[in-house]
Amino acid sequence: MKTGEVLGRGTTPDFGVFDRTKPNAFIRPSRYEPLMRYAQPPFGYLKEDISSRMLSLISRTGEPKGGSFVYDQEGRLIGNWFAVPDAKLHEMSWDDMLAFAPHYLDTRRIEMGFSGRLWSAFTSASPST
């Protein structure tokens, strides 16, 4: 890449860096592909003026301003949960996963993410209104 080169266009770009000197704090890192274990927000790897300009465009209210996808905490509900014991992420479908994490913009709100089979089980168990 060269200074000034267009990397992409879009309304919600998503890009990152893989830094093998900074492993993410997953409770069970073996569940994740090697690159995900080292994925980092790109802002600390850019020139300060570029990083500051990019961060000023982000509406996120909490830290880290550049976001995160690693919320695992031993003994707490927060983070990624898997329905298949000892399976790796790439071996499962989205039906087998559940996540409790801060909202991507308002980090004071915790959200639950699930779909497919888990969503069907949840909605069929809910009382009808």
Side-chain angles (χ1 to χ4, degrees):
M1 293 186 304
K2 297 177 185 165
T3 301
E5 186 175 344
V6 175
L7 299 177
R9 299 188 191 284
T11 56
T12 56
D14 183 10
F15 69 101
V17 170
F18 301 106
D19 185 341
R20 292 193 185 272
T21 67
K22 294 183 181 179
N24 285 313
F26 293 118
I27 291 173
R28 303 264 315 269
S30 62
R31 286 189 177 264
Y32 299 89
E33 291 84 7
L35 285 180
M36 282 187 74
R37 294 180 210 165
Y38 299 97
Q40 301 295 321
F43 304 103
Y45 298 85
L46 301 171
K47 290 183 178 180
E48 178 57 37
D49 61 325
I50 295 170
S51 179
S52 295
R53 279 190 296 183
M54 291 178 74
L55 286 167
S56 73
L57 300 172
I58 297 174
S59 314
R60 187 176 171 92
T61 58
E63 293 296 329
K65 186 78 168 172
S68 179
F69 65 93
V70 183
Y71 295 105
D72 295 7
Q73 293 178 28
E74 189 74 48
R76 299 202 54 215
L77 183 62
I78 194 164
N80 297 316
W81 292 78
F82 303 94
V84 181
D86 300 318
K88 296 189 183 329
L89 185 65
H90 70 275
E91 298 169 344
M92 295 181 282
S93 74
W94 288 108
D95 289 343
D96 300 322
M97 295 177 241
L98 175 67
F100 297 89
H103 184 271
Y104 76 104
L105 292 177
D106 183 357
T107 58
R108 297 169 298 177
R109 293 178 25 207
I110 300 295
E111 294 196 322
M112 184 170 86
F114 57 101
S115 64
R117 185 173 46 248
L118 293 172
W119 177 253
S120 296
F122 176 75
T123 56
S124 66
S126 297
S128 57
T129 55

